[in-house]
Amino acid sequence: MNIPYLDLKAVTALHGEEIQTAVAEVVGGGWYLQGAAVQQFEQHYAAYIGTRHCVGVANGLDALTLTLRAYKEMGRIGEGDEVLVPANTFIATVLAITENGLKPVFIDVDADMLDLNLDQLQQSLTSKTKALMLVHLYGRCTYNESIRSFCKENGLLLIEDNAQAHGCIYQHQKTGSLGDVACHSFYPGKNLGALGDGGAVTTDDEELAQIIRSIANYGFEKKYVAAYKGRNSRLDEVQAAVLDVKLRYLDEDNDRRQVVANAYYAHIQHEATHLPSLMESGTNVYHIFPVFTPHRDALQHYLQEKGIHTLIHYPVPPHQQTCYREYNHLTLPVTERLAREELSLPLHPALTDAEVSYIIETLNSFHPIVNN
Ligand SMILES: *Cc1c(COP(=O)(O)O)cnc(C)c1O
């Protein structure tokens, strides 16, 4: 067997004909930016997430960056203010903070639930704390009642990074509708992925949505009248048309991810490898399936030899990156251990039952000593 980590060709082929038709319509229509396809997708995605507004942007990092920028324009956050952020996240979450001249305050995570350490959240509050970026990493919902009341009691903006959790549900509400605003990425490998870059912001806040839309379009309030020093960050018509097709199948695709994840949880049995706590169905959309083992590199090598390709999310946490030298002295023990022990198994909607069984059997036969 040869199992790639993510088979995008097979994933696209699941809805291939409809995607081809949608792309052909845009190509033939001759209108490629700021047209009907984006408008339609924005409406459908807002309805799906359960917010009043959706603004399509160029990618997920821009969604995050523009959101903080808009809050600065609104006077809700100022230069040098602090933003609480999980230490265990993809670097883009942090880049959006520093790009805006704000200070990331890294919070360690719980080793089993992978959600935020509440004690550390409390202890990290200062008079400059203005917002919490909540990341539903790996597709796991990290929102809960404690997070809600923590933000409410301390007057913090709650910003969801929903790049990895499209379709995830917390008590009948979608992630992406739980805080003040949410940022989404449609990078091809995400649960809802385009055929290139794409992103969106969802919110009930009309003023915020308008400002983000304006900044993403040169800062124009109306054509050629700039209210902000803006930039160009727009979702294009081809990507919107593709996303509109794939949105119709997102729940179905997530259900298939759940079936694969259930098989992994039921049958992976390996004393040196542990899985994060199993979450209630629907509260995890399994964007990434992480396993943790102190023998991570040996396991990855062994699986590779057996034709199973895995990835590491993420080998270097943001606070240990060279570009964040000023935070390199920090110690965030759980995040640092996860970075040493994490291995992501293949998990996507086009993975076959035979591939899933092979991955389970192969992993279960790994001997850390023999296979080292
Ligand atoms: C993918 C991702 C982003 C960035 O999205 P892009 O579209 O790649 O810019 C941000 N945050 C998280 C958690 C992500 O996984």
Side-chain angles (χ1 to χ4, degrees):
M1 285 233 192
N2 183 34
I3 307 176
Y5 176 71
L6 174 60
D7 189 348
L8 274 180
K9 192 171 169 177
V11 170
T12 302
L14 288 175
H15 319 296
E17 272 183 40
E18 278 178 81
I19 290 173
Q20 300 276 3
T21 307
V23 170
E25 266 177 39
V26 175
V27 173
W31 191 277
Y32 307 125
L33 281 167
Q34 296 181 296
V38 168
Q39 214 172 36
Q40 178 166 306
F41 173 69
E42 286 178 344
Q43 277 169 14
H44 289 163
Y45 196 61
Y48 178 83
I49 294 292
T51 53
R52 298 204 354 251
H53 307 280
C54 169
V55 182
V57 297
N59 55 65
L61 173 56
D62 279 4
L64 292 158
T65 307
L66 291 164
T67 293
L68 289 171
R69 169 75 191 280
Y71 275 133
K72 282 171 72 188
E73 296 291 349
M74 291 164 78
R76 303 285 296 270
I77 308 185
E79 202 81 8
D81 279 343
E82 294 172 5
V83 178
L84 303 167
V85 61
N88 189 43
T89 187
F90 179 57
I91 195 168
T93 324
V94 183
L95 290 172
I97 299 172
T98 54
E99 178 72 24
N100 277 290
L102 306 169
K103 187 176 174 233
V105 176
F106 298 99
I107 309 296
D108 215 351
V109 296
D110 178 84
D112 292 312
M113 285 305 289
L114 307 177
D115 57 359
L116 288 170
N117 180 318
L118 281 171
D119 293 335
Q120 208 178 319
L121 265 186
Q122 286 288 355
Q123 288 154 14
S124 302
L125 277 173
T126 75
S127 57
K128 286 186 166 275
T129 316
K130 294 291 160 59
L132 167 61
M133 303 273 252
L134 197 62
V135 185
H136 306 301
L137 201 72
Y138 309 130
R140 301 169 67 91
C141 174
T142 52
Y143 179 88
N144 54 48
E145 288 311 305
S146 314
I147 294 287
R148 188 186 64 83
S149 38
F150 174 78
C151 289
K152 207 168 168 204
E153 280 160 19
N154 298 293
L156 305 183
L157 293 165
L158 178 55
I159 301 168
E160 295 178 85
D161 180 341
N162 200 49
Q164 301 195 0
H166 316 121
C168 189
I169 293 171
Y170 175 80
Q171 295 181 356
H172 310 293
Q173 270 183 282
K174 296 263 168 47
T175 59
S177 71
L178 301 169
D180 294 286
V181 60
C183 305
H184 311 256
S185 162
F186 305 125
Y187 175 82
K190 301 286 158 84
N191 287 32
L192 180 58
L195 303 184
D197 278 316
V201 177
T202 53
T203 182
D204 284 336
D205 185 337
E206 182 168 1
E207 186 190 4
L208 178 71
Q210 259 173 15
I211 295 176
I212 291 171
R213 195 181 288 287
S214 164
I215 297 173
N217 188 40
Y218 314 111
F220 289 162
E221 255 173 345
K222 53 184 189 193
K223 208 162 191 186
Y224 305 130
V225 180
Y228 310 96
K229 297 187 185 89
R231 30 198 279 199
N232 177 355
S233 178
R234 297 178 301 218
L235 183 65
D236 69 68
E237 291 284 293
V238 169
Q239 300 312 332
V242 170
L243 289 167
D244 208 43
V245 170
K246 291 185 76 176
L247 179 59
R248 294 202 284 275
Y249 298 102
L250 176 58
D251 289 343
E252 194 179 295
D253 289 347
N254 282 344
D255 286 347
R256 175 64 192 161
R257 286 175 185 269
Q258 176 80 55
V259 169
V260 175
N262 288 347
Y264 283 160
Y265 267 99
H267 302 297
I268 289 177
Q269 264 166 2
H270 190 271
E271 58 172 359
T273 303
H274 100 264
L275 310 185
S277 297
L278 178 61
M279 295 180 73
E280 208 179 299
S281 178
T283 61
N284 186 349
V285 289
Y286 297 99
H287 172 58
I288 286 169
F289 194 91
V291 303
F292 300 100
T293 171
H295 312 284
R296 191 263 311 276
D297 294 346
L299 176 59
Q300 182 170 38
H301 181 75
Y302 161 84
L303 292 174
Q304 180 83 22
E305 299 268 285
K306 304 276 181 189
I308 299 168
H309 300 262
T310 57
L311 291 179
I312 297 167
H313 298 92
Y314 296 90
V316 183
H319 73 279
Q320 295 188 322
Q321 296 282 353
T322 316
C323 69
Y324 286 127
R325 253 173 240 102
E326 64 272 42
Y327 301 112
N328 286 177
H329 67 280
L330 296 175
T331 306
L332 293 138
V334 180
T335 295
E336 288 163 25
R337 178 159 59 79
L338 297 180
R340 285 193 302 273
E341 299 192 348
E342 199 274 349
L343 193 67
S344 306
L345 301 183
L347 199 171
H348 59 79
L351 205 62
T352 66
D353 290 343
E355 289 172 325
V356 173
S357 302
Y358 177 72
I359 292 166
I360 293 166
E361 282 161 28
T362 309
L363 172 55
N364 287 347
S365 321
F366 170 62
H367 299 288
I369 311 294
V370 180
N371 298 121
N372 210 329

